[in-house]
Amino acid sequence: MNEAEAQPLSQPLVLYDGECALCHATVRWLLAHDTQRVLRFAPLQGKTAAHLREQGLALPQGLDSVVLVTPSGDREARVLVRSRAVLALCDLIGYRSFSVRLLRLLPRAATDAAYRIVAATRYRISGRRACLLPPEAERDRFLP
């Protein structure tokens, strides 16, 4: 195991479906808006996610949610999924658009329900795509 796999929680980690075109678009959007380079990325199907599961971190087994894993100092890392992950990601990168502020006003049950609908139809909407190579300047931010 390389050093990046051994210590993936030094920065917030975004786990995404490596075969989903919509997920790839989301990762590209996050890369473009994360000007402070606080996020790292890994596919849910990859070695990093498997290693975290082996370490006992409660990651979802399915691929129907973006997952945000944040370091928590001495405590176990926090795992956020669905709309909570999306809103926390917006906080981490400083994205505070009007639409994000509106989403915060809705109950989590409603935002998670909307997220589940998109997740259930994402392959029909955007298709499947093999994991794309990140841009050269961003490769250090991706874990296997």
Side-chain angles (χ1 to χ4, degrees):
M1 178 176 305
N2 66 35
E3 185 178 326
E5 288 177 88
Q7 300 201 0
L9 298 180
S10 61
Q11 292 175 261
L13 177 64
V14 178
L15 298 170
Y16 61 94
D17 180 352
E19 297 177 356
C20 171
L22 180 61
C23 299
H24 284 280
T26 301
V27 168
R28 286 192 304 275
W29 185 90
L30 287 167
L31 286 168
H33 288 83
D34 182 14
T35 58
Q36 300 299 311
R37 298 176 55 90
V38 298
L39 301 175
R40 295 185 83 183
F41 302 88
L44 279 162
Q45 301 93 325
K47 292 179 185 177
T48 299
H51 176 71
L52 291 171
R53 285 185 184 101
E54 288 170 5
Q55 297 300 314
L57 202 59
L59 298 179
Q61 291 297 324
L63 302 175
D64 64 346
S65 178
V66 65
V67 178
L68 175 62
V69 182
T70 59
S72 294
D74 296 336
R75 298 177 298 136
E76 185 174 296
R78 285 182 48 206
V79 176
L80 301 173
V81 296
R82 290 183 281 286
S83 63
R84 285 186 69 198
V86 170
L87 294 172
L89 283 165
C90 289
D91 286 343
L92 284 169
I93 63 173
Y95 187 76
R96 293 177 177 83
S97 73
F98 180 72
S99 59
V100 170
R101 290 193 305 265
L102 281 178
L103 285 174
R104 291 186 188 288
L105 298 175
L106 298 173
R108 186 170 16 147
T111 56
D112 277 353
Y115 188 99
R116 283 187 178 101
I117 291 169
V118 172
T121 59
R122 71 188 188 279
Y123 292 135
R124 283 180 274 173
I125 293 169
S126 64
R128 289 182 184 258
R129 178 178 296 164
C131 191
L132 301 175
L133 287 177
E136 183 76 35
E138 305 291 351
R139 289 201 180 138
D140 61 324
R141 299 174 68 187
F142 284 78
L143 302 173

